[in-house]
Amino acid sequence: MIGYISKYCGFCFGVSLAVKAAYDESKYDKLYMYGEIVHNPAVIKKLIKNNVSIINGAEEILKISSPKVLIRAHGIPKFAVKLLKENNSIIIDKTCPKVKKIHNVVSKAYEENKKIIIVGNPMHPEVVGINGWCNFSATVVKNIQHANEIIGELNPQDIFCMVSQTTFNYEKYLGIYKFCIKHLKDIEFNNTICGDTSNRQKEIMRLSKKVDMIIVIGGKNSSNSAKLFEIAKENCKYAQHIETENDLCFSKFGLISAFAVCSGASTPIESVQIVIDYIKKHNKENGVQTVISRFPAQPKMR
Ligand code: SF4
């Protein structure tokens, strides 16, 4: 059996910086994480053992004098940063630079009296954080059906600024923009999809067509892992979304000759290796040899 490893596995750049800071900063002092630093239960469990506590809002630590607070890659609303500063918190700001850029775009547009449209999941902390840089005035659009439902509520004479959650699918985002521009006169379109996210999605699409099973490793509450699973389900014969090796289901392994493993942006590379070793062990016990390989890169166009 051949097993391929997607070349986009392990933490993304933003998460990797935040997790490293969490370990470093909690070595000697108590550290408060503003929300779960990654949507990955295994990583969170390890950090909590390391003198790290989770808070779900700046209000929760107002009674503690000068707490050390780490802002995760998703970022937080402007008022929350202000509250932390007023409380003399020591802020370790690990908002991903790509998310910070969206905060700046939204902040500037808001000051210029533009109306903000955020395409993404309204409940996702990244979207809540972005909305917090325009005083929570944004219209959050979940998908094309939702755009259709709310378009009549927007004033076509206004000037709009559109951004998206970094993990949104680019084609779907573009589709929503194209729909909105038919109804609204002026929309400043900002491509705010993270390259890491789209690379993972493109690679999973490519792998889905070449193998019989895709295994996505990532927290069930991780939006980018869920999107990878969605693509895998739609394009591959079999797909599994697991958090750890213990969630693996081997019932279809007798029917496949090739599988591929990929991970969400909040999954450490060590977890990927553990899953691969577990599959190899299982196959060996069942008399099947497993050859693990990197999936050949896409040939370059000349
Ligand atoms: S997925 Fe992209 S935007 Fe989000 S934290 Fe990672 S690098 Fe930053």
Side-chain angles (χ1 to χ4, degrees):
M1 185 183 295
I2 302 180
Y4 292 111
I5 309 170
S6 164
K7 63 177 174 175
Y8 302 103
C9 268
F11 288 149
C12 67
F13 149 81
V15 169
S16 167
L17 288 180
V19 172
K20 182 177 181 311
Y23 284 120
D24 290 350
E25 297 291 341
S26 61
K27 255 186 211 152
Y28 309 108
D29 301 310
K30 173 85 193 156
L31 181 70
Y32 295 89
M33 265 188 293
Y34 197 113
E36 290 190 352
I37 194 165
V38 279
H39 288 146
N40 187 299
V43 176
I44 297 298
K45 219 165 141 188
K46 207 166 155 193
L47 281 168
I48 288 174
K49 268 196 197 161
N50 271 28
N51 209 17
V52 178
S53 294
I54 302 173
I55 54 160
N56 292 304
E59 306 81 1
E60 284 184 29
I61 45 163
L62 289 184
K63 286 190 193 127
I64 302 167
S65 138
S66 308
K68 202 183 208 185
V69 184
L70 186 133
I71 301 177
R72 61 184 165 180
H74 290 326
I76 61 173
K78 191 176 178 179
F79 84 87
V81 176
K82 189 168 168 266
L83 221 56
L84 289 176
K85 283 185 181 162
E86 282 167 6
N87 190 33
N88 295 323
S89 305
I90 301 155
I91 302 176
I92 318 291
D93 188 354
K94 289 295 159 189
T95 305
C96 176
K98 295 176 186 185
V99 177
K100 195 70 226 154
K101 203 168 148 194
I102 308 179
H103 291 175
N104 294 338
V105 167
V106 160
S107 215
K108 184 169 172 280
Y110 181 67
E111 277 167 22
E112 292 167 355
N113 279 326
K114 290 180 184 159
K115 304 290 174 200
I116 315 296
I117 300 175
I118 306 172
V119 175
N121 173 359
M123 306 304 285
H124 193 280
E126 183 191 304
V127 173
V128 175
I130 296 169
N131 204 354
W133 289 83
C134 59
N135 210 13
F136 297 97
S137 65
T139 302
V140 183
V141 177
K142 288 187 275 190
N143 49 39
I144 191 82
Q145 293 81 6
H146 187 216
N148 195 20
E149 281 161 32
I150 55 102
I151 197 78
E153 296 164 18
L154 305 176
N155 181 354
Q157 301 310 319
D158 282 337
I159 300 175
F160 291 87
C161 164
M162 188 181 263
V163 295
S164 80
Q165 188 176 342
T166 52
T167 49
F168 211 81
N169 176 285
Y170 181 70
E171 275 71 36
K172 290 185 181 166
Y173 177 37
L174 198 60
I176 293 171
Y177 165 73
K178 284 182 179 164
F179 169 80
C180 290
I181 197 67
K182 284 187 194 149
H183 301 266
L184 309 169
K185 257 186 17 211
D186 193 344
I187 308 175
E188 171 199 312
F189 176 82
N190 296 280
N191 181 0
T192 53
I193 310 276
C194 167
D196 181 278
T197 305
S198 51
N199 284 341
R200 279 175 207 252
Q201 292 179 358
K202 277 185 207 149
E203 189 67 353
I204 211 69
M205 179 71 100
R206 209 161 74 87
L207 285 164
S208 292
K209 297 192 168 135
K210 301 281 179 197
V211 300
D212 314 300
M213 181 185 283
I214 296 278
I215 299 163
V216 179
I217 312 164
K220 291 278 162 79
N221 55 352
S222 149
S223 102
N224 72 87
S225 302
K227 282 197 184 98
L228 294 178
F229 181 52
E230 208 180 295
I231 297 171
K233 257 194 319 189
E234 280 169 17
N235 297 285
C236 192
K237 207 163 165 191
Y238 304 113
Q240 300 191 44
H241 180 179
I242 59 167
E243 288 191 343
T244 70
E245 71 283 8
N246 299 321
D247 302 332
L248 270 169
C249 169
F250 288 105
S251 65
K252 299 282 189 286
F253 264 58
L255 307 171
I256 66 169
S257 58
F259 68 92
V261 175
C262 68
S263 89
S266 44
T267 305
I269 196 71
E270 297 78 24
S271 304
V272 177
Q273 193 53 52
I274 291 170
V275 168
I276 288 167
D277 291 346
Y278 198 75
I279 294 173
K280 274 174 145 175
K281 187 169 162 267
H282 169 273
N283 281 352
K284 197 174 172 192
E285 283 166 5
N286 287 279
V288 178
Q289 200 202 349
T290 319
V291 179
I292 300 293
S293 160
R294 285 260 163 199
F295 195 61
Q298 184 98 292
K300 287 215 169 77
M301 301 289 281
R302 289 178 186 275

